[in-house]
């Protein structure tokens, strides 16, 4: 047992202090923007992400990434028949490409493509009816552009823009207001 713990600690130590990390984690603040139902009604709470580089080359790195977040819509008003909240949970698996700039080694522009799922869960009442069992999931293509800047070899700051094109839903008008979502995410990250 002691040998296993020692080997685990040595591997963790090597991973934490190695120069080239393939895995990174991010903590972001999502900001809904643009003229759409998310941008006009929801507030960003948190976005957590992870990236894993599969191919690490001089000019381009390729890998997979996953982000999960929380946005809220609060329609709770004092003395109102509408007293509910909606929680939106975006889940964004994607593949990414990161560019390595030799003259500016600390700057890392990247782009990614994926398919996002947004799970909507309601709590509270709307005109006297309990809406706590109302749930919906919408999904669509996700295009992402971002830029990270290394503070140290392990820590970085990150800014990114996500555009999500939701599929048309039955009963919802097919307009850009209902199908286009834009999120700006600002945060920090750690290469492990």
């Amino acid at each position: 047992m002691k040998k296993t713990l020692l080997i685990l600690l040595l591997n963790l130590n090597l991973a934490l202090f190695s120069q080239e990390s393939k895995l990174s984690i991010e903590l972001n603040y999502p900001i809904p923007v643009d003229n759409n139902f998310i941008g006009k009604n929801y507030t960003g709470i948190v976005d957590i992400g992870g990236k894993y580089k599969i191919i690490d080359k001089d000019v381009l790195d390729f890998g997979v990434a996953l982000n999960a977040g929380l946005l809220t819509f609060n329609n709770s008003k004092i003395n109102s028949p509408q007293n509910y909240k909606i929680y939106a949970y975006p889940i964004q698996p994607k593949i990414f490409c990161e560019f390595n700039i030799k003259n500016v080694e600390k700057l890392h522009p990247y782009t990614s493509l994926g398919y996002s799922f947004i799970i909507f869960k309601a709590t509270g009442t709307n005109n006297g009816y309990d809406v706590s069992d109302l749930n919906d999931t919408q999904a669509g293509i996700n295009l992402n552009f971002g830029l990270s800047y290394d503070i140290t070899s392990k820590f970085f700051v990150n800014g990114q823009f996500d555009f999500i094109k939701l599929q048309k839903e039955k009963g919802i008008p097919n307009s850009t207001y209902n199908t286009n979502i834009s999120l700006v995410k600002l945060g920090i990250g750690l290469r492990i």
Side-chain angles (χ1 to χ4, degrees), residues 1-11:
M1 181 67 174
K2 289 181 183 180
K3 287 182 183 180
T4 305
L5 184 58
L6 179 63
I7 291 170
L8 181 64
L9 288 174
L10 286 173
N11 284 333

Side-chain angles (χ1 to χ4, degrees), residues 31-78:
I31 305 166
V33 294
D34 209 0
N35 185 25
N36 54 61
F37 77 101
I38 294 284
K40 293 294 182 183
N41 299 303
Y42 284 77
T43 302
I45 303 297
V46 69
D47 177 84
I48 298 171
K51 288 182 179 174
Y52 184 77
K53 291 181 187 177
I54 296 172
I55 300 172
D56 195 357
K57 297 291 183 183
D58 288 340
V59 178
L60 293 174
D61 299 334
F62 296 94
V64 293
L66 176 67
N67 283 72
L70 172 62
L71 309 168
T72 61
F73 170 59
N74 189 352
N75 199 31
S76 300
K77 298 178 178 114
I78 298 173

